[in-house]
Amino acid sequence: PPPRRRRIMSGTLLESARSTMEELEALELLAVESLAKKPSGSKAAMERDAVVANVVDGMAGRATTLTTLYADADGSYRSEVQSMRGPGVFTTFYGALKETREYYARHGATAAKGAAQATAQAAVERARRVETVFSGEEMWGKYLDLGALHREFCNLPSAPGGADLEYVAYLRMLGAKPFAQILPEKLSGAYARHAAAVDA
């Protein structure tokens, strides 16, 4: 059988892969649950969309983790799988069974199950956490408030319209062409920061 230390370390990798798959499944169920509900207003729709976006990000991160585990750069994952085959399979199995029994005797019968559920539950809670930065005028994403950007633009040196540029005129100017084309010669300093904020 493979060395004891390698088997334990690889077993941790297999457990990590299993836990990651449970997180993926929990996130998938959350996505289905979220998309099955019809939102009752713009705030609920925004929150649902944010949760789904968090789910997608979380699933992408967990999939990357699984891909790294399966790539098995150091061969430890393959070593664990190989230890479950061949002539030493029973020795390996009973050694792992003994370690598992000792672990449960020390930590209680629900320790491993509780840890796995806690990991998946934590992934779901992270996905459900929605932080909004909307102003009151935006009504939870229903409208777009560019008031702060308008004031900033009016205070830029040599801005078209200057400090007297009205909000509606500013919106028309932004809608007509990209900001980089409005002031192509000024794309540095304050202008560049404003252009980046408008693009964001």
Side-chain angles (χ1 to χ4, degrees), residues 99-135:
E99 289 174 9
T100 302
R101 285 180 174 166
E102 290 172 356
Y103 177 83
Y104 282 125
R106 284 193 309 268
H107 300 290
T110 59
K113 184 177 179 183
Q117 287 178 342
T119 303
Q121 187 62 32
V124 168
E125 290 305 316
R126 278 193 304 273
R128 281 193 173 139
R129 196 174 305 126
V130 176
E131 297 178 7
T132 59
V133 290
F134 293 114
S135 69

Side-chain angles (χ1 to χ4, degrees), residues 1-2 32 43 47 56 82 98 107-108 111 114 116 123 144-145 153-154 158 166 171 178:
V32 169
K43 178 181 178 182
E47 288 177 341
V56 170
Q82 289 301 322
K98 180 181 177 187
H107 300 290
L144 182 61
D145 180 16
F153 182 80
C154 289
S158 304
E166 293 185 5
L171 294 179

Side-chain angles (χ1 to χ4, degrees), residues 1 5-6 15 42 58 60 68 87-88 95 97-98 120 126 133 150 187 192:
R5 182 173 179 175
R6 170 57 69 95
E15 175 59 25
S42 58
T68 303
L97 181 61
K98 180 181 177 187
R126 278 193 304 273
V133 290
H150 169 248
L187 286 181

Side-chain angles (χ1 to χ4, degrees), residues 15-24 62 65-66 69:
E15 175 59 25
S16 177
R18 186 194 62 74
S19 176
T20 301
M21 286 184 217
E22 284 189 1
E23 288 182 46
L24 280 167
R62 302 322 291 152
T65 300
L66 269 181
L69 285 172

Side-chain angles (χ1 to χ4, degrees), residues 144-153 156 170-171 173-175 177-180 182-183 187 190-200:
L144 182 61
D145 180 16
L146 297 176
L149 290 171
H150 169 248
R151 287 188 296 277
E152 180 183 296
F153 182 80
L156 291 174
Y170 174 72
L171 294 179
M173 185 176 59
L174 286 181
K177 53 187 172 180
F179 187 77
I182 295 171
L183 296 166
L187 286 181
Y191 288 98
R193 287 190 295 277
H194 184 76
V198 169
D199 288 341

